[in-house]
Amino acid sequence: MHSLEDLRAEAERAIKQAGSLKALRDAEVAYLGRSGKLTQILKTLKDLPEDKRRTMGAEANETRKLLELLAAERTASLKREEYEQKLKLERIDITRPGKRYHKGGLHPLTIIRRDIERIFGSMGFAVAEGPEVETEFYNFDALNIPADHPARDMWDTFWIKNPKRDPKAQRLLLRTHTSPVQVRYIQKHAPPFRIIAPGRVFRYEATDASHEIQFYQLEGLMVGRDISLANFKQVMQTFLGKLFGKEMKVRLRPSYFPFVEPGAEVDMSCVQCGGHGCSVCKHTGWVEIAGAGMVHPKVFQSAGLNPKDWQGFAFGFGIDRVAMMKYKIPDIRMFYQNDIRFLRQF
Ligand code: DAH
């Protein structure tokens, strides 16, 4: 009797103090298992005299039931504890600020190109495109620059090899300017029209802070019955005013490009000093921005349009240069180095 009571107290303690489901299982095995201590006692009952056996047997069974009940309760509470612990560990604080990650952004040249397209769009200009790998005809001949013309030296050209050495094949090159898009457009569309043609161009040149072997240009073309350089000046002034967000002046200086007559270099008032004179404009108050002129009759002819019926202006400028002025970027090569510290600023 004594040992059964001791055993029960001992087992109760072991069950109540079990700190984990594993420890509880061990305690259950130690007391209630097949060769556990209580089972051991039950096995000795058969050696006891009849009356003792009955009372002890009843008590031992009661003890077993009690211990099983205690073990079941302890199991339940341990499971609850473990679950609560898990909930605590896995708790998500939805009020914590999230992890910041970097979104991609637009390249400054993309931003400015879109700005330019939007502004010209508001003035009724459509956007046209042409191929970057161009034929000699569109890049030069159709623009009144035949093979033996000294003006070809104005554009250092990447020629593309003709691998089949087919003497009849058109010579191919990387376009040196966006002007060939003029010819392609005139061939396919009936005037009047006004277009811009932004795109990448290539020059076989040494690079420095203001020269790259590839950069972006924007070509403009407006053709009608009586389109003049006065119209051009107005368009350019309006465009620059909207792009730079302030009043801009434009002046034309006579110049030579084979595909226009007359031809001009276009200056705008210096963005830096507003025309008063500074180091950027070399104290002239003016900065060169574009080439322009009245479309040469030979260009109309090579595109299949009668120059007696139509006239118009054309212009071209470097998008990179405009971006450099707008964002005050000192070196054109920065656009193409993909330095994230540079790109993140836009
Ligand atoms: N295509 C010329 C260049 O790349 C720029 C240019 C000058 C375009 C005069 C024009 C123009 O349309 O009329 O240097």
Side-chain angles (χ1 to χ4, degrees):
M1 277 311 273
H2 181 70
S3 76
L4 186 58
E5 253 171 48
D6 282 353
L7 185 69
R8 176 170 139 178
E10 195 185 306
E12 269 192 48
R13 224 178 305 125
I15 289 170
K16 282 185 181 155
Q17 286 174 356
S20 67
L21 285 168
K22 162 117 184 31
L24 180 60
R25 187 115 322 267
D26 290 346
E28 278 181 300
V29 171
Y31 294 96
L32 302 167
R34 210 177 264 271
S35 45
K37 290 183 183 170
L38 186 64
T39 321
Q40 226 57 47
I41 287 179
L42 284 168
K43 275 183 190 160
T44 61
L45 287 183
K46 62 180 190 320
D47 304 328
L48 295 177
E50 169 84 56
D51 58 335
K52 265 211 165 184
R53 196 198 309 161
R54 200 167 289 151
T55 48
M56 268 252 326
E59 246 177 82
N61 272 328
E62 217 168 277
T63 304
R64 159 167 227 112
K65 270 189 203 151
L66 177 81
L67 291 179
E68 277 171 357
L69 192 71
L70 283 177
E73 280 175 6
R74 188 71 191 133
T75 304
S77 82
L78 277 174
K79 276 194 179 157
R80 198 167 345 106
E81 272 172 35
E82 270 184 22
Y83 183 61
E84 270 162 20
Q85 190 65 23
K86 201 172 163 202
L87 283 186
K88 210 182 273 177
L89 280 175
E90 292 177 3
R91 183 187 147 88
I92 294 169
D93 181 356
I94 58 165
T95 65
R96 274 179 64 172
K99 262 189 211 156
R100 182 182 276 280
Y101 61 93
H102 288 284
K103 284 188 286 182
L106 293 179
H107 192 278
L109 289 176
T110 303
I111 297 173
I112 198 125
R113 197 200 70 227
R114 290 186 179 182
D115 283 349
I116 293 171
E117 287 177 2
R118 186 176 38 74
I119 295 168
F120 275 107
S122 75
M123 292 190 276
F125 283 74
V127 177
E129 279 183 353
E132 290 175 0
V133 175
E134 193 46 286
T135 63
E136 181 177 16
F137 172 77
Y138 284 110
N139 197 81
F140 289 128
D141 299 76
L143 291 167
N144 192 29
I145 319 165
D148 52 1
H149 198 293
R152 282 222 178 171
D153 292 347
M154 291 167 80
W155 297 275
D156 298 297
T157 309
F158 283 108
W159 291 93
I160 290 174
K161 279 199 186 115
N162 172 0
K164 290 186 192 131
R165 301 198 176 280
D166 175 359
K168 275 180 285 177
Q170 273 268 14
R171 283 220 288 170
L172 294 177
L173 47 79
L174 296 181
R175 67 177 176 192
T176 60
H177 50 182
T178 43
S179 301
V181 184
Q182 287 184 37
V183 182
R184 288 180 175 275
Y185 195 88
I186 299 171
Q187 280 182 332
K188 291 212 173 107
H189 299 82
F193 48 66
R194 50 187 108 169
I195 57 153
I196 52 168
R200 192 152 53 152
V201 302
F202 305 84
R203 299 275 171 93
Y204 183 41
E205 289 179 339
T207 59
D208 62 29
S210 46
H211 296 87
E212 252 296 355
I213 59 166
Q214 57 139 64
F215 55 99
Y216 288 82
Q217 275 193 342
L218 188 106
E219 196 76 13
L221 174 69
M222 184 167 181
V223 176
R225 296 280 179 205
D226 52 8
I227 300 300
S228 71
L229 277 181
N231 296 130
F232 168 68
K233 200 174 170 188
Q234 177 60 38
V235 164
M236 202 64 189
Q237 215 156 282
T238 307
F239 159 67
L240 291 172
K242 288 192 185 188
L243 185 70
F244 288 102
K246 55 178 153 188
E247 206 176 307
M248 299 288 286
K249 284 202 203 103
V250 167
R251 75 175 184 187
L252 305 183
R253 283 178 290 109
S255 185
Y256 175 73
F257 298 97
F259 30 89
V260 281
E261 179 58 39
E265 240 139 55
V266 186
D267 293 344
M268 63 176 194
S269 42
C270 178
V271 187
Q272 188 71 31
C273 62
H276 301 294
C278 68
S279 61
V280 171
C281 59
K282 301 195 183 81
H283 302 282
T284 62
W286 296 97
V287 179
E288 191 184 315
I289 170 91
M294 294 299 288
V295 179
H296 198 289
K298 283 193 174 166
V299 174
F300 281 137
Q301 268 159 3
S302 41
L305 202 67
N306 188 346
K308 293 207 167 67
D309 298 334
W310 301 99
Q311 64 178 47
F313 65 76
F315 63 92
F317 61 76
I319 295 179
D320 305 61
R321 281 203 52 195
V322 171
M324 286 167 79
M325 282 189 264
K326 175 147 182 181
Y327 298 127
K328 304 198 177 11
I329 296 165
D331 194 318
I332 189 173
R333 291 168 293 192
M334 291 176 142
F335 289 126
Y336 304 99
Q337 283 159 345
N338 280 335
D339 186 327
I340 202 76
R341 294 166 302 179
F342 170 74
L343 296 174
R344 270 203 187 127
Q345 296 178 48
F346 300 93

Short mmCIF file of all heavy atoms in Angstrom, two decimals, residues 179-220:
data_model
loop_
_atom_site.label_atom_id
_atom_site.label_comp_id
_atom_site.label_asym_id
_atom_site.label_seq_id
_atom_site.Cartn_x
_atom_site.Cartn_y
_atom_site.Cartn_z
N SER A 179 18.39 62.17 -90.78
CA SER A 179 17.85 62.79 -92.00
C SER A 179 17.28 61.78 -93.01
O SER A 179 16.31 62.11 -93.71
CB SER A 179 18.92 63.67 -92.65
OG SER A 179 19.33 64.67 -91.75
N PRO A 180 17.83 60.55 -93.13
CA PRO A 180 17.23 59.61 -94.10
C PRO A 180 15.76 59.33 -93.83
O PRO A 180 15.03 58.98 -94.78
CB PRO A 180 18.07 58.33 -93.95
CG PRO A 180 18.98 58.54 -92.79
CD PRO A 180 19.09 60.00 -92.60
N VAL A 181 15.30 59.50 -92.61
CA VAL A 181 13.88 59.27 -92.31
C VAL A 181 13.00 60.25 -93.09
O VAL A 181 11.88 59.93 -93.49
CB VAL A 181 13.59 59.36 -90.80
CG1 VAL A 181 12.14 59.00 -90.49
CG2 VAL A 181 14.53 58.46 -90.00
N GLN A 182 13.53 61.46 -93.34
CA GLN A 182 12.81 62.44 -94.17
C GLN A 182 12.41 61.82 -95.51
O GLN A 182 11.25 61.88 -95.93
CB GLN A 182 13.70 63.64 -94.50
CG GLN A 182 13.98 64.60 -93.38
CD GLN A 182 14.79 65.78 -93.90
OE1 GLN A 182 14.58 66.25 -95.01
NE2 GLN A 182 15.74 66.25 -93.10
N VAL A 183 13.43 61.24 -96.18
CA VAL A 183 13.21 60.69 -97.52
C VAL A 183 12.22 59.54 -97.47
O VAL A 183 11.28 59.45 -98.27
CB VAL A 183 14.54 60.23 -98.14
CG1 VAL A 183 14.33 59.71 -99.55
CG2 VAL A 183 15.56 61.36 -98.13
N ARG A 184 12.44 58.63 -96.50
CA ARG A 184 11.53 57.48 -96.36
C ARG A 184 10.10 57.95 -96.13
O ARG A 184 9.15 57.38 -96.66
CB ARG A 184 11.98 56.59 -95.20
CG ARG A 184 13.25 55.81 -95.51
CD ARG A 184 13.66 54.93 -94.33
NE ARG A 184 14.80 54.10 -94.66
CZ ARG A 184 14.71 52.93 -95.28
NH1 ARG A 184 13.53 52.46 -95.63
NH2 ARG A 184 15.79 52.23 -95.55
N TYR A 185 9.94 59.01 -95.33
CA TYR A 185 8.58 59.47 -95.02
C TYR A 185 7.92 60.13 -96.23
O TYR A 185 6.75 59.86 -96.53
CB TYR A 185 8.62 60.45 -93.83
CG TYR A 185 7.24 60.68 -93.24
CD1 TYR A 185 6.75 59.85 -92.24
CD2 TYR A 185 6.42 61.72 -93.70
CE1 TYR A 185 5.48 60.03 -91.72
CE2 TYR A 185 5.15 61.92 -93.19
CZ TYR A 185 4.68 61.07 -92.19
OH TYR A 185 3.42 61.25 -91.68
N ILE A 186 8.69 60.98 -96.91
CA ILE A 186 8.12 61.67 -98.08
C ILE A 186 7.68 60.65 -99.14
O ILE A 186 6.64 60.81 -99.78
CB ILE A 186 9.13 62.68 -98.69
CG1 ILE A 186 9.49 63.76 -97.66
CG2 ILE A 186 8.57 63.33 -99.95
CD1 ILE A 186 10.65 64.67 -98.08
N GLN A 187 8.48 59.59 -99.30
CA GLN A 187 8.13 58.56 -100.29
C GLN A 187 6.77 57.94 -100.02
O GLN A 187 6.06 57.56 -100.93
CB GLN A 187 9.18 57.43 -100.27
CG GLN A 187 10.44 57.77 -101.03
CD GLN A 187 11.43 56.60 -101.02
OE1 GLN A 187 11.46 55.80 -100.08
NE2 GLN A 187 12.26 56.51 -102.06
N LYS A 188 6.42 57.81 -98.75
CA LYS A 188 5.21 57.05 -98.41
C LYS A 188 4.00 57.92 -98.07
O LYS A 188 2.90 57.38 -97.90
CB LYS A 188 5.51 56.15 -97.21
CG LYS A 188 6.47 55.02 -97.54
CD LYS A 188 6.14 53.79 -96.69
CE LYS A 188 6.97 52.59 -97.12
NZ LYS A 188 8.01 52.23 -96.16
N HIS A 189 4.20 59.22 -97.89
CA HIS A 189 3.07 60.05 -97.43
C HIS A 189 2.87 61.25 -98.34
O HIS A 189 3.83 61.82 -98.85
CB HIS A 189 3.28 60.53 -95.99
CG HIS A 189 3.39 59.41 -95.01
ND1 HIS A 189 4.55 58.72 -94.80
CD2 HIS A 189 2.46 58.85 -94.20
CE1 HIS A 189 4.35 57.77 -93.89
NE2 HIS A 189 3.09 57.83 -93.51
N ALA A 190 1.62 61.64 -98.49
CA ALA A 190 1.31 62.81 -99.31
C ALA A 190 1.27 64.05 -98.41
O ALA A 190 0.66 64.02 -97.36
CB ALA A 190 -0.04 62.61 -99.99
N PRO A 191 1.96 65.13 -98.82
CA PRO A 191 1.92 66.35 -98.02
C PRO A 191 0.53 66.99 -98.10
O PRO A 191 -0.23 66.64 -99.02
CB PRO A 191 2.99 67.24 -98.67
CG PRO A 191 3.27 66.64 -100.01
CD PRO A 191 2.79 65.23 -100.01
N PRO A 192 0.17 67.90 -97.21
CA PRO A 192 1.04 68.48 -96.19
C PRO A 192 1.22 67.56 -94.98
O PRO A 192 0.32 66.81 -94.66
CB PRO A 192 0.28 69.76 -95.79
CG PRO A 192 -1.16 69.43 -96.04
CD PRO A 192 -1.18 68.51 -97.22
N PHE A 193 2.37 67.64 -94.34
CA PHE A 193 2.58 66.90 -93.09
C PHE A 193 3.67 67.56 -92.26
O PHE A 193 4.44 68.39 -92.76
CB PHE A 193 2.94 65.43 -93.36
CG PHE A 193 4.01 65.22 -94.40
CD1 PHE A 193 5.31 65.64 -94.18
CD2 PHE A 193 3.70 64.59 -95.61
CE1 PHE A 193 6.29 65.42 -95.14
CE2 PHE A 193 4.69 64.37 -96.58
CZ PHE A 193 5.98 64.80 -96.34
N ARG A 194 3.67 67.21 -91.00
CA ARG A 194 4.74 67.65 -90.10
C ARG A 194 5.11 66.47 -89.20
O ARG A 194 4.24 65.87 -88.58
CB ARG A 194 4.35 68.89 -89.30
CG ARG A 194 3.03 68.80 -88.60
CD ARG A 194 2.65 70.14 -87.97
NE ARG A 194 1.55 70.78 -88.70
CZ ARG A 194 0.89 71.84 -88.25
NH1 ARG A 194 1.22 72.41 -87.11
NH2 ARG A 194 -0.09 72.36 -88.95
N ILE A 195 6.39 66.14 -89.18
CA ILE A 195 6.83 64.97 -88.40
C ILE A 195 8.11 65.29 -87.62
O ILE A 195 8.86 66.21 -87.97
CB ILE A 195 7.14 63.75 -89.30
CG1 ILE A 195 8.20 64.11 -90.35
CG2 ILE A 195 5.88 63.21 -89.94
CD1 ILE A 195 9.02 62.94 -90.82
N ILE A 196 8.31 64.50 -86.60
CA ILE A 196 9.64 64.42 -85.98
C ILE A 196 10.07 62.96 -86.05
O ILE A 196 9.23 62.07 -86.08
CB ILE A 196 9.66 64.90 -84.51
CG1 ILE A 196 8.59 64.18 -83.68
CG2 ILE A 196 9.52 66.40 -84.43
CD1 ILE A 196 8.74 64.37 -82.19
N ALA A 197 11.40 62.76 -86.11
CA ALA A 197 11.92 61.40 -86.16
C ALA A 197 13.09 61.30 -85.17
O ALA A 197 14.21 61.69 -85.49
CB ALA A 197 12.38 61.05 -87.57
N PRO A 198 12.80 60.79 -83.97
CA PRO A 198 13.88 60.61 -83.01
C PRO A 198 14.56 59.26 -83.26
O PRO A 198 13.92 58.34 -83.76
CB PRO A 198 13.15 60.57 -81.67
CG PRO A 198 11.77 60.10 -81.98
CD PRO A 198 11.49 60.40 -83.43
N GLY A 199 15.84 59.16 -82.95
CA GLY A 199 16.47 57.85 -83.11
C GLY A 199 17.97 57.87 -82.90
O GLY A 199 18.60 58.93 -82.79
N ARG A 200 18.51 56.66 -82.87
CA ARG A 200 19.93 56.50 -82.60
C ARG A 200 20.74 56.64 -83.88
O ARG A 200 20.34 56.16 -84.93
CB ARG A 200 20.17 55.12 -81.98
CG ARG A 200 21.53 54.95 -81.40
CD ARG A 200 21.53 53.96 -80.28
NE ARG A 200 20.91 52.70 -80.70
CZ ARG A 200 21.24 51.53 -80.15
NH1 ARG A 200 22.16 51.49 -79.22
NH2 ARG A 200 20.64 50.42 -80.52
N VAL A 201 21.87 57.31 -83.78
CA VAL A 201 22.76 57.48 -84.92
C VAL A 201 24.18 57.12 -84.50
O VAL A 201 24.48 57.01 -83.31
CB VAL A 201 22.71 58.94 -85.46
CG1 VAL A 201 21.29 59.30 -85.87
CG2 VAL A 201 23.24 59.92 -84.45
N PHE A 202 25.05 56.93 -85.49
CA PHE A 202 26.39 56.38 -85.20
C PHE A 202 27.45 57.17 -85.95
O PHE A 202 27.28 57.52 -87.11
CB PHE A 202 26.44 54.92 -85.64
CG PHE A 202 25.35 54.08 -85.03
CD1 PHE A 202 24.08 54.04 -85.61
CD2 PHE A 202 25.56 53.36 -83.86
CE1 PHE A 202 23.05 53.29 -85.05
CE2 PHE A 202 24.55 52.60 -83.29
CZ PHE A 202 23.29 52.57 -83.89
N ARG A 203 28.55 57.44 -85.28
CA ARG A 203 29.67 58.14 -85.92
C ARG A 203 30.97 57.43 -85.58
O ARG A 203 31.21 57.10 -84.41
CB ARG A 203 29.75 59.59 -85.42
CG ARG A 203 28.52 60.43 -85.70
CD ARG A 203 28.52 61.07 -87.07
NE ARG A 203 27.22 61.68 -87.37
CZ ARG A 203 26.91 62.96 -87.14
NH1 ARG A 203 27.82 63.76 -86.63
NH2 ARG A 203 25.71 63.42 -87.43
N TYR A 204 31.78 57.24 -86.61
CA TYR A 204 33.07 56.58 -86.44
C TYR A 204 34.08 57.62 -86.00
O TYR A 204 34.83 58.16 -86.81
CB TYR A 204 33.45 55.93 -87.78
CG TYR A 204 34.72 55.13 -87.76
CD1 TYR A 204 35.03 54.29 -86.70
CD2 TYR A 204 35.60 55.18 -88.84
CE1 TYR A 204 36.19 53.55 -86.69
CE2 TYR A 204 36.76 54.44 -88.86
CZ TYR A 204 37.06 53.62 -87.77
OH TYR A 204 38.20 52.88 -87.78
N GLU A 205 34.06 57.94 -84.69
CA GLU A 205 34.86 59.06 -84.18
C GLU A 205 35.51 58.69 -82.85
O GLU A 205 35.03 57.81 -82.15
CB GLU A 205 33.95 60.26 -83.88
CG GLU A 205 33.40 60.95 -85.09
CD GLU A 205 32.50 62.12 -84.72
OE1 GLU A 205 31.97 62.18 -83.59
OE2 GLU A 205 32.33 62.97 -85.59
N ALA A 206 36.53 59.45 -82.50
CA ALA A 206 37.09 59.32 -81.15
C ALA A 206 36.09 59.95 -80.17
O ALA A 206 35.45 60.94 -80.50
CB ALA A 206 38.43 60.04 -81.06
N THR A 207 35.97 59.35 -78.98
CA THR A 207 35.01 59.90 -78.02
C THR A 207 35.70 60.89 -77.09
O THR A 207 36.89 60.79 -76.80
CB THR A 207 34.37 58.78 -77.16
OG1 THR A 207 35.42 58.09 -76.47
CG2 THR A 207 33.63 57.79 -78.03
N ASP A 208 34.93 61.87 -76.65
CA ASP A 208 35.36 62.78 -75.58
C ASP A 208 34.10 63.29 -74.88
O ASP A 208 33.02 62.74 -75.09
CB ASP A 208 36.25 63.92 -76.13
CG ASP A 208 35.52 64.80 -77.13
OD1 ASP A 208 34.27 64.94 -77.02
OD2 ASP A 208 36.17 65.37 -78.03
N ALA A 209 34.25 64.33 -74.07
CA ALA A 209 33.12 64.77 -73.25
C ALA A 209 31.91 65.18 -74.09
O ALA A 209 30.77 65.13 -73.61
CB ALA A 209 33.54 65.94 -72.36
N SER A 210 32.12 65.57 -75.35
CA SER A 210 30.96 65.96 -76.16
C SER A 210 30.78 65.09 -77.42
O SER A 210 29.93 65.41 -78.26
CB SER A 210 31.04 67.44 -76.53
OG SER A 210 32.33 67.75 -76.98
N HIS A 211 31.53 64.00 -77.54
CA HIS A 211 31.36 63.11 -78.69
C HIS A 211 31.25 61.66 -78.26
O HIS A 211 32.03 61.20 -77.44
CB HIS A 211 32.53 63.25 -79.67
CG HIS A 211 32.62 64.60 -80.30
ND1 HIS A 211 33.29 65.65 -79.71
CD2 HIS A 211 32.11 65.08 -81.46
CE1 HIS A 211 33.19 66.72 -80.48
NE2 HIS A 211 32.48 66.41 -81.54
N GLU A 212 30.29 60.97 -78.84
CA GLU A 212 30.14 59.54 -78.61
C GLU A 212 30.04 58.87 -79.98
O GLU A 212 29.64 59.51 -80.96
CB GLU A 212 28.85 59.27 -77.82
CG GLU A 212 29.06 58.85 -76.38
CD GLU A 212 29.78 57.52 -76.22
OE1 GLU A 212 30.07 56.84 -77.22
OE2 GLU A 212 30.08 57.16 -75.06
N ILE A 213 30.36 57.57 -80.05
CA ILE A 213 30.21 56.90 -81.35
C ILE A 213 28.74 56.60 -81.64
O ILE A 213 28.36 56.37 -82.77
CB ILE A 213 31.04 55.59 -81.46
CG1 ILE A 213 30.63 54.61 -80.37
CG2 ILE A 213 32.53 55.90 -81.42
CD1 ILE A 213 31.16 53.22 -80.63
N GLN A 214 27.91 56.60 -80.60
CA GLN A 214 26.47 56.50 -80.84
C GLN A 214 25.78 57.50 -79.95
O GLN A 214 26.19 57.74 -78.82
CB GLN A 214 25.98 55.09 -80.56
CG GLN A 214 26.27 54.60 -79.14
CD GLN A 214 25.12 53.84 -78.54
OE1 GLN A 214 24.78 52.79 -79.04
NE2 GLN A 214 24.52 54.39 -77.50
N PHE A 215 24.76 58.13 -80.47
CA PHE A 215 23.99 59.09 -79.69
C PHE A 215 22.61 59.22 -80.33
O PHE A 215 22.27 58.46 -81.25
CB PHE A 215 24.72 60.44 -79.62
CG PHE A 215 25.08 61.05 -80.95
CD1 PHE A 215 24.30 62.06 -81.51
CD2 PHE A 215 26.20 60.62 -81.65
CE1 PHE A 215 24.63 62.63 -82.74
CE2 PHE A 215 26.54 61.18 -82.89
CZ PHE A 215 25.75 62.18 -83.42
N TYR A 216 21.82 60.14 -79.84
CA TYR A 216 20.45 60.26 -80.35
C TYR A 216 20.25 61.61 -81.03
O TYR A 216 20.75 62.63 -80.57
CB TYR A 216 19.43 60.08 -79.23
CG TYR A 216 19.36 58.65 -78.77
CD1 TYR A 216 20.29 58.13 -77.88
CD2 TYR A 216 18.39 57.79 -79.29
CE1 TYR A 216 20.25 56.80 -77.50
CE2 TYR A 216 18.34 56.46 -78.92
CZ TYR A 216 19.26 55.97 -78.02
OH TYR A 216 19.23 54.65 -77.65
N GLN A 217 19.52 61.56 -82.12
CA GLN A 217 19.16 62.80 -82.82
C GLN A 217 17.66 62.91 -82.93
O GLN A 217 16.93 61.93 -82.78
CB GLN A 217 19.73 62.78 -84.25
CG GLN A 217 21.17 63.25 -84.35
CD GLN A 217 21.56 63.51 -85.80
OE1 GLN A 217 20.92 63.04 -86.74
NE2 GLN A 217 22.64 64.26 -85.98
N LEU A 218 17.23 64.13 -83.21
CA LEU A 218 15.83 64.33 -83.53
C LEU A 218 15.75 65.11 -84.83
O LEU A 218 16.29 66.21 -84.94
CB LEU A 218 15.09 65.09 -82.43
CG LEU A 218 13.58 65.11 -82.69
CD1 LEU A 218 12.86 64.18 -81.75
CD2 LEU A 218 13.01 66.51 -82.62
N GLU A 219 15.09 64.49 -85.80
CA GLU A 219 14.90 65.13 -87.09
C GLU A 219 13.51 65.76 -87.10
O GLU A 219 12.59 65.24 -86.47
CB GLU A 219 14.97 64.06 -88.19
CG GLU A 219 15.18 64.60 -89.57
CD GLU A 219 16.62 65.04 -89.79
OE1 GLU A 219 17.49 64.70 -88.97
OE2 GLU A 219 16.85 65.75 -90.79
N GLY A 220 13.37 66.87 -87.78
CA GLY A 220 12.05 67.47 -87.95
C GLY A 220 11.81 67.77 -89.41
O GLY A 220 12.76 68.06 -90.16
#
